[in-house]
Structure formats: structure tokens, C-alpha cells
Amino acid sequence: MFETLEMAPADPILGLTAAFKQDTNPDRINLGVGVYKDGDGNTPVFNSVQRAEARILDRQTTKDYLLISGAPEYAAVVQALLFGPEHEIVTGQRAATVHAPGGTGGLRVAGDFVHKLYPEAKIWLSDPTWANHPNIYAHAGVAVETYPYFEMETNDLDFDAMRDALKNVPEGDVVLLHGCCHNPTGIDPTPEQWEEIADVAGARGWIPLVDFAYHGLGDGLEQDRRGLMAFCRSCAELMVSSSFSKNFGLYNERVGALTVVASTPEAANALMSQVLICIRANYSNPPAHGAAIVTEVLNDSGLRPQWEDEVAQMRNRINRMRALFVDTLERKGVRRDFSFIARQRGMFSFSGLTGRQVDALREEYAIYMVGSGRINVAGITEANIDYLCESIAAVLRRS
Ligand code: LMR
């Protein structure tokens, strides 16, 4: 049966990492997958995480299964971080949270229960969006539509087109919005634009699904919640898929969450019971370790400020690299205006480089970026910036 199978294409993001690892060029640079690098080009374990892990290992007595939903203490810290501990959604018990394996797990669980309970509902994705979004919903069996997002001429949000499209999304459909640090463009709505989008959601009756994978990497932990808070104000029902891969550096622990908000505690409980059936049929119950780390850090008055500081350092370094990238391209004689990169937020920017230029950078200079021209700014360091910008300048000169 398997002999006639053809090779599937490599994943457009993770496939790049596999190719990068085989590249022997000593100057190689990986600007593909969204993984943070420090100034030395490493992806270190946070100090707050190391301290939490030591404590957890010290007191651990069992590896017994967790509940299907994960540890209740983890659900509590996730909700407090998303909404604030005193928010009415939390105190009124209108939210239910499951620990999902990474943000991808949360998005997939949402797709599974939408497909099961609301088979007619579609999920609307921004154009462009993270390459895995359409993939996740195709596999969950949910039909996908797109709404406009990016204006190529100005390298900015095409807000009018976005808002107008969202006004036409039918009641009961789901609209996926990037909570902050839009992947791949690095462009987010302003606070005022978030309020307008949230008003549209409330008026039209579609359900926001906020993909919140980069909380803290944009403008700050508080500021990055502005979009989510706008939806909490205007919509009685919403979903949030959050991730601790980036803001805790816990990539391979697969620690994320799906939080569903309903209009009453009873509705939230019923929804949760349906979500649990989807999880049981998929991965049964979540892995424990990453969630235990997050819970320990967020609940500890010593570890939490240290973690917040580590997130701020990461955010500040990324923003410094944005400015350095723009300056260095100019110094290397690139005439094209790349100043938009300094205005964007989070790990990613849409560089505007074409597929052919991306291929040339990879094949001739061992610089890896996603085919769409998306670059992971967090992969730029002071050590690789000159080589990177000289290579881009050389490729642009002959285009
Ligand atoms: C990315 O967009 O690079 C990250 O979200 C990692 C991934 O799984 O694709």
C-alpha cells in the first residue's frame, strides 16, 4: 500500500530548519522559524524557568496522568494572565481553559470542536497569515475563508478593507485574529482599530478566535492585551489560543492553552465538556512539565518579576535589531526604503523580498527565510548583521 506514495512537500517553516541544519556554510543564518536568539545567537533557557524547574524536580513524586483539561492551577494562571485576575470573565467563571500542546494544539482543538458542533461554520483567516493556519483547519475539516489585511504598497495594515470584509462575515462563523505581533507581517491594528473591529464582532455576531502566541513580545505584557480586551468588552463569547513557546522560551515543552469564554458559567461548563471529548479522541491529555513551569513562575513573587524582565530584554533586543537592520541596509547602499521594519512588532517582518530573491539568498549565501519573504528579526545579531545586509544588497543590486 505504501510503495506508490509520493513524497509530501517539506513544511514551509519547519522544513527550512531541517535544511538549515544540513547546511555547512559557516556564515549560515536562520531567519526562518520563529525562535528567539540572544545576542550570541543562542536560544537560552530563561533563568526564571531554570529556577522553577529545579524546584519542580525537587518536589516531584509522580508522573501520573493529568486531567484531560490539564492542571487546574495552570488554567487559573492562564486566565489571570489573559484577562487579569479581577476581570469579570474570571470572577464570573465565564471562561474555561484547557492546557493544549502548544498554540498549535489550542488552535486545532478549537477547529475540532467547531467542526463537530457547528459543521456549517467557517473560519476566517487574515490574508496573509501563519502558513500553518490553513493547514490546521483543513485537517480539522473546517472550511476556511480569508479577509484582507496587508497593503503591499504602503507596507501597512489595509484597515478599511479588513473592517469592511469583517462586516460581511456571517453570524456564527469564527474569525481568527492575531492578538499581537501579527505573523507574518509584524503589523497590528492600533488600539482604536481594535475597538472598531471588536464593535463589528459584537454587532455581527461572529466569534473571535484570538491567536495569542507572542504575548509580551510586542509593546509589553499589558499593552499586547489591548485587542483581546476590546473583544472581551464587546463579545459575550470568544476563544483564545495562547502559547508559552516564545514568551517563556518553552518551545519543545509544547505548552499552550485554549480558553473559551461563554455568556454564563453553565454555558462555559457545557462547552468545556464538549472540548474534553475532542481532546480525549486526539491526544488524550496534555504533557505536564511545561505547564508546571509556567504555573510556578507566574505564581511566585520572586520568579515572576524575573520572568517579566526576561521578556522585556527579549522584546528590547528584537526592537534594537529592527533599527540596526534598517540602518545597516542603508549603510550597505540599499536604496529601497526598509524603514517599515523598524515600525513593526514581534518576531516577524514581511521584507518585501521576492521568492526568487529568497531562493538566491538561501542558495548562494546560506541565509534562510520563509518563501513569502518573512524574516525572523529575532535571528539577527550584531555578529551576523553585516553579512546579512551585504548579501541582501548584492541580491537586490542584480534584481
Ligand atoms: C513560526 O511561525 O515560525 C512559529 O510559529 C513556529 C512554527 O511552528 O511555525
Side-chain angles (χ1 to χ4, degrees):
M1 193 162 83
F2 301 147
E3 271 168 20
T4 53
L5 276 183
E6 285 175 13
M7 281 292 284
D11 183 83
I13 297 174
L14 299 184
L16 279 179
T17 307
F20 175 80
K21 284 189 171 161
Q22 286 183 351
D23 197 317
T24 51
N25 186 328
D27 295 323
R28 66 190 183 156
I29 305 175
N30 189 359
L31 304 183
V33 67
V35 171
Y36 178 76
K37 302 269 187 254
D38 66 13
D40 298 323
N42 299 319
T43 306
V45 182
F46 286 25
N47 290 323
S48 53
V49 166
Q50 271 173 343
R51 288 173 63 201
E53 278 187 306
R55 291 185 197 173
I56 292 163
L57 292 183
D58 209 36
R59 62 169 188 250
Q60 184 171 266
T61 55
T62 181
K63 295 277 188 193
D64 190 3
Y65 287 124
L66 296 181
L67 298 172
I68 297 176
S69 53
E73 309 81 51
Y74 172 70
V77 295
V78 168
Q79 290 186 14
L81 191 66
L82 290 179
F83 307 114
E86 302 306 327
H87 195 285
E88 178 276 325
I89 286 179
V90 178
T91 56
Q93 300 182 340
R94 291 200 293 116
T97 297
V98 294
H99 167 189
T104 304
L107 293 167
R108 175 60 193 257
V109 171
D112 284 345
F113 91 77
V114 167
H115 175 65
K116 182 174 164 226
L117 298 179
Y118 308 100
E120 300 304 317
K122 294 182 175 148
I123 293 195
W124 293 70
L125 306 175
S126 64
D127 178 20
T129 195
W130 179 41
N132 208 22
H133 280 150
N135 195 25
I136 290 170
Y137 296 114
H139 281 78
V142 185
V144 164
E145 297 275 357
T146 57
Y147 59 88
Y149 194 83
F150 181 62
E151 195 172 81
M152 203 177 294
E153 294 73 48
T154 55
N155 270 296
D156 215 339
L157 180 66
D158 193 350
F159 180 68
D160 290 346
M162 175 189 186
R163 184 198 45 215
D164 292 348
L166 295 182
K167 279 184 179 166
N168 289 318
V169 171
E171 182 176 2
D173 273 8
V174 175
V175 177
L176 189 149
L177 298 124
H178 301 226
C180 67
C181 309
H182 183 268
N183 178 3
T185 66
I187 303 164
D188 293 325
T190 63
E192 296 72 32
Q193 289 169 338
W194 275 126
E195 293 295 334
E196 264 194 73
I197 297 167
D199 284 342
V200 172
R204 294 292 307 158
W206 46 256
I207 308 288
L209 166 56
V210 179
D211 182 352
F212 208 22
Y214 297 88
H215 186 186
L217 273 72
D219 291 315
L221 287 161
E222 263 317 295
Q223 296 87 326
D224 290 353
R225 295 190 310 131
R226 285 178 295 219
L228 175 61
M229 286 299 102
F231 290 115
C232 292
R233 175 188 57 71
S234 70
C235 305
E237 299 178 341
L238 64 129
M239 300 184 270
V240 190
S241 170
S242 48
S243 166
F244 295 108
S245 295
K246 325 284 160 143
N247 60 11
F248 268 77
L250 287 171
Y251 306 91
N252 66 16
E253 298 293 354
R254 309 312 297 138
V255 50
L258 176 69
T259 299
V260 290
V261 177
S263 54
T264 64
E266 294 73 30
N269 276 337
L271 189 50
M272 173 65 127
S273 67
Q274 299 287 350
V275 170
L276 296 186
I277 290 174
C278 296
I279 292 176
R280 177 66 171 142
N282 186 349
Y283 54 88
S284 189
N285 50 70
H289 188 63
I293 296 168
V294 170
T295 309
E296 183 76 21
V297 170
L298 293 182
N299 276 339
D300 187 272
S301 58
L303 296 181
R304 185 169 179 138
Q306 184 176 21
W307 167 71
E308 287 181 7
D309 191 50
E310 291 183 290
V311 176
Q313 283 178 34
M314 201 160 54
R315 178 173 66 241
N316 295 339
R317 198 191 87 75
I318 292 173
N319 289 337
R320 271 202 319 279
M321 288 305 109
R322 287 185 177 279
L324 184 65
F325 186 45
V326 175
D327 286 353
T328 313
L329 282 171
E330 205 180 317
R331 265 198 305 111
K332 301 289 176 191
V334 171
R335 293 230 191 87
R336 193 194 290 186
D337 180 13
F338 280 99
S339 59
F340 60 87
I341 289 181
R343 293 194 297 274
Q344 297 168 348
R345 284 293 169 268
M347 282 191 173
F348 305 116
S349 272
F350 238 13
S351 63
L353 296 170
T354 63
R356 190 173 287 190
Q357 290 163 342
V358 168
D359 288 348
L361 284 163
R362 189 181 61 253
E363 285 158 16
E364 296 170 39
Y365 299 93
I367 295 172
Y368 289 71
M369 45 183 81
V370 179
S372 61
R374 185 193 85 167
I375 54 170
N376 172 20
V377 184
I380 302 176
T381 65
E382 262 136 25
N384 67 26
I385 187 84
D386 282 323
Y387 176 69
L388 171 65
C389 293
E390 280 159 18
S391 309
I392 292 177
V395 167
L396 286 176
R397 260 197 307 275
R398 63 169 119 110
S399 301

